[in-house]
Amino acid sequence: MPEVSKLKSNGLASTGQRDQHIYTVSEITQVIKGLLEEKVGEIWLEGEISNFKAATSGHFYFSLKDQGALILAAMFAHANKSLKFNLEDGQKVICFGKVDVYGPRGQYQIIVERIEPKGVGAQQLAFEQLKKKLNQEGLFDAGHKKPLPQMPFAVGIVTSSKGAAVRDILQILKKGAYGVDVILRSVRVQGEPAANEIASAIADLNSLKHLDLIIVSRGGGSTEDLWSFNEEIVVRAIYNSRLPVISAVGHQINTTLSDLAADVFVETPSAAAKMIVDKKNALLAQLSEFRYQLDFSINSTISDLKNRLTAFTHMLKSPRDHLLEKQQQIDELFSGLNYNIRHALELAQQRESGLIQRLEALSPLAILSRGYSLSVLLPQGAILKDAGMIKPGDKLKTVLAKGAFTSLVQEVFRDERKNSV
Amino acid sequence: MKEKTAFEEDLKKLQKIVEELSSGKITLGESLKKYEEGVKIAQACSLTLAEAQRKVELLMKKDGKLSLEKFDDAEIDEK
């Protein structure tokens, strides 16, 4: 083992050979400390955090462990100040530091200078942690969000006066909503001082009474570039803003905590400006709709009145109309009557000519013309139908189809037909 | 600003007039009066929206004191 040879060369073993040296606790601790420093020194160490404690002094104390072992760790205030995320029990981390001995307790420990979460990046973890914390506090609550004014006539913008964001916004507003006043508070939008500048710019714009809303904006960039918009101070400034805040940071892929805290968040600076233009256009459309409805209503009120007037006029004319109606009824009745009479006459005529025909068929003259004759007993003139009506010596008159003659009865046959047959 | 709150109030008033008028429950005389008022408000609102005035200013802070400066956005268009 290298330790053994080192111990020897350190003089410990050789001293022991000669004369048993008696160490004080401090001395041996110093020796151990020196050995550890020299042999182990600065290392990278992987483990899981447990027993995490942040002391009031600002120093952090915790243990790092794996399945087989545990080592105490300390991270002093100067080192943990720049830490982006919070240390928590159970976190898997990779630390950089120096193994040291804490003499007063006889403990060896690692003095951590840097620490990274294992797996996710430190920044990502910090983001998630802050997001969770602020969410629990209610900074992203939908209920806290303020509605945007129907028409923002004066807009405050927090961004860099030299950036692409302000250019995009101003161009779109100039074209689409010219009447909108803009007050720009120029700030740095990345780097160390940016968060403070953005936060105080939001507060400053809030002190201007005539503003309607604030756009907090920055053009697209890497997650690091946009980091200021994830800083707690910025998120809180947005949350506490009296004026409604539109967050327009980066491109669609980045969602910052500022976006979550803002009353409205859009994906790009242009979209924020477009939102205002759209509001204006929507209002113009609504106004023309109102104008149309005004005209429509007044016109229909008037035409409704006209219709009622016409109806009344009709009611006034009514007696004459009534008379005309009656007349028409009479006319109809008349024409019905005419028809009926004519029909009745025709029927009568038809019946009459039928009778005449039948009458003609029954006429005795017509029978005589076929050779029959008609005899009557004189002087009574009774038509003879039965030979029993006469006796010999009676005078008869016989009528023929043409002319007539008288004769005397010589003999009577009661049943001539029978006799002749 | 006075102007701005007036705008939102005007819009509300206009909407109310439109509703009253379309309800058909008011007399012709009232209708005509409301109509006239409505048309005036609508015109005023449209004018406000179409206003050709515009200010772009820069809010500066010096020793904790805020001041407004003109911001020249002409150069922005050229970029």
Side-chain angles (χ1 to χ4, degrees), chain A residues 29 33 101-107:
Chain A
T29 304
K33 200 172 174 157
V101 173
Y102 178 53
R105 297 189 74 106
Q107 288 171 342

Side-chain angles (χ1 to χ4, degrees), chain A residues 387 389-395 408-413:
Chain A
M389 289 167 70
I390 52 171
K391 54 194 190 293
D394 281 350
K395 193 178 177 184
L408 288 173
V409 179
Q410 288 189 320
E411 203 180 341
V412 175
F413 312 101

Side-chain angles (χ1 to χ4, degrees), chain A residues 150 167 170 174 178-179 181-185 204 207 210 212 283 287 290-291 293-295 297-298, chain B residues 4 8 11 14 18 22 35 38-39 42 45-46 51-59 61 66 76-77:
Chain A
Q150 261 180 312
R167 193 177 66 222
L170 287 178
K174 197 171 189 178
Y178 193 82
D181 289 339
V182 174
I183 291 180
L184 173 66
R185 180 86 175 94
D204 290 345
S207 70
H210 69 285
D212 294 319
L283 278 171
L287 281 172
F290 279 159
R291 275 301 311 269
Q293 283 181 11
L294 282 175
D295 287 349
S297 296
I298 201 74
Chain B
K4 171 171 54 205
E8 299 214 346
L11 265 184
L14 182 55
V18 168
S22 62
Y35 173 75
V39 169
C45 286
S46 302
E51 214 172 12
Q53 274 182 0
R54 177 179 205 246
K55 262 188 298 185
V56 178
E57 289 169 307
L58 203 55
L59 180 63
K61 196 175 191 180
L66 294 170
I76 270 168
D77 294 334

Side-chain angles (χ1 to χ4, degrees), chain A residues 155-328:
Chain A
V155 175
I157 304 176
V158 177
T159 192
S160 163
S161 64
K162 297 182 186 81
V166 72
R167 193 177 66 222
D168 290 350
I169 293 172
L170 287 178
Q171 270 176 355
I172 289 170
L173 285 183
K174 197 171 189 178
K175 232 185 261 170
Y178 193 82
V180 172
D181 289 339
V182 174
I183 291 180
L184 173 66
R185 180 86 175 94
S186 186
V187 293
R188 273 172 276 190
V189 288
Q190 71 186 75
E192 198 59 34
N196 274 321
E197 284 186 20
I198 295 165
S200 69
I202 293 169
D204 290 345
L205 286 174
N206 263 292
S207 70
L208 301 179
K209 295 217 160 42
H210 69 285
L211 282 184
D212 294 319
L213 62 83
I214 296 172
I215 300 174
V216 176
S217 191
R218 186 202 190 285
S222 69
T223 309
E224 277 74 30
D225 290 341
L226 306 183
W227 198 255
S228 306
F229 297 90
N230 288 324
E231 299 274 9
E232 189 167 351
I233 186 172
V234 173
V235 181
R236 288 196 186 279
I238 290 173
Y239 178 81
N240 291 324
S241 175
R242 170 182 64 88
L243 295 168
V245 174
I246 301 179
S247 173
V249 178
H251 295 310
Q252 42 271 66
I253 42 163
N254 327 99
T255 298
T256 63
L257 297 182
S258 291
D259 289 339
L260 298 179
D263 299 298
V264 170
F265 101 80
V266 290
E267 288 171 341
T268 60
S270 305
K274 226 183 137 275
M275 193 170 223
I276 293 170
V277 174
D278 287 348
K279 272 182 169 293
K280 185 198 145 182
N281 290 337
L283 278 171
L284 282 173
Q286 196 185 18
L287 281 172
S288 72
E289 171 67 18
F290 279 159
R291 275 301 311 269
Y292 170 78
Q293 283 181 11
L294 282 175
D295 287 349
F296 180 82
S297 296
I298 201 74
N299 284 339
S300 69
T301 301
I302 290 171
S303 76
D304 190 42
L305 285 172
K306 261 189 197 162
N307 287 342
R308 279 163 65 193
L309 191 64
T310 317
F312 285 141
T313 319
H314 274 297
M315 280 162 80
L316 285 175
K317 267 193 214 155
S318 162
R320 212 188 100 194
D321 285 354
H322 196 64
L323 200 64
L324 285 171
E325 204 177 283
K326 289 281 174 217
Q327 205 154 41
Q328 195 178 358

Side-chain angles (χ1 to χ4, degrees), chain A residues 11-12 15-24 27-28:
Chain A
L12 187 67
T15 315
Q17 268 174 357
R18 241 190 351 219
D19 178 10
Q20 205 71 355
H21 177 79
I22 302 169
Y23 287 90
T24 63
E27 269 172 358
I28 193 64

